[in-house]
Amino acid sequence: MYFAALLARTEDGWEASDTELDDVETLSDLADLAREASPDEDTVLVLIEQEDGWFGVVRVDGEEDPRIYVSDAAAAARSSYGEILLTDELLGREPGDDGPDLDALDLDGTEDGEPDDEDADGAPYTVSGESVPHGPVGDAQVLEDLGVTEKELRSMTQDAVSEIAEALGASEVLETVR
């Protein structure tokens, strides 16, 4: 089960809206969606959470490149929403490497973040021969100036989206869209 929400910081505080990611195919599409949520180019956070699997934070500040944090790259790699966030740059790959061929993926039910037998032994998860690390990737300081330290972000596991919203003082507005 997934939950995705946009939190836009305005002069009056945070505004939340749930978002449908079915039409989002790339990080660029996701950044455009976030920018539409804030016509004044304020900070917008896209919070994505897969129950008991992983969470991701995408921060968009005006026209700057999005900043991304994913709590578990291997778990996120198994989901279509996670694949949007796991860019070549984030995974340390050469730009232009197309990464996994989606037609070649064996979608056997493990794409929802459930470990498969080969992954259960702690070996690196691979998609079409590309290794995806277990654990967090990205900018763990993405929320530092908003009051969520790197240590706090890395320690979040279950219900991370609610914990982030609470730390930002946006839990009430987030609950209106949950």
Side-chain angles (χ1 to χ4, degrees):
M1 173 128 178
Y2 289 94
F3 174 72
L6 295 173
L7 282 179
R9 188 167 69 173
T10 68
E11 60 186 40
D12 298 327
W14 291 97
E15 291 181 7
S17 58
D18 63 346
T19 187
E20 188 59 52
L21 299 179
D22 290 344
D23 295 331
V24 174
E25 296 180 8
T26 65
L27 180 60
S28 180
D29 293 344
L30 187 60
D32 290 344
L33 182 69
R35 287 182 184 106
E36 289 171 12
S38 178
D40 295 331
E41 296 189 6
D42 291 320
T43 298
V44 178
L45 303 175
V46 181
L47 304 173
I48 302 172
E49 181 177 68
Q50 180 188 349
E51 189 175 306
D52 297 331
W54 63 275
F55 70 92
V57 177
V58 178
R59 179 178 177 158
V60 178
D61 293 300
E63 291 300 318
E64 292 181 28
D65 288 340
R67 295 170 58 195
I68 306 164
Y69 175 80
V70 176
S71 66
D72 187 337
R78 294 184 200 94
S79 80
S80 58
Y81 299 133
E83 286 181 345
I84 293 168
L85 305 182
L86 298 175
T87 63
D88 290 338
E89 181 181 344
L90 197 68
L91 294 175
R93 296 181 185 158
E94 289 295 317
D97 223 1
D98 289 338
D101 174 8
L102 295 181
D103 293 330
L105 287 177
D106 179 20
L107 299 179
D108 60 359
T110 61
E111 62 273 7
D112 289 333
E114 304 296 325
D116 60 19
D117 291 338
E118 292 104 32
D119 192 40
D121 63 1
Y125 181 73
T126 61
V127 176
S128 298
E130 294 285 340
S131 180
V132 178
H134 287 276
V137 294
D139 184 354
Q141 296 176 344
V142 67
L143 302 174
E144 192 94 19
D145 64 322
L146 300 174
V148 180
T149 66
E150 178 178 348
K151 182 178 179 181
E152 290 169 328
L153 190 63
R154 288 185 185 272
S155 69
M156 293 179 183
T157 53
Q158 295 184 349
D159 206 21
V161 168
S162 293
E163 290 179 47
I164 290 168
E166 186 173 324
L168 299 175
S171 56
E172 287 183 25
V173 295
L174 180 67
E175 287 305 313
T176 63
V177 299
R178 206 176 252 276

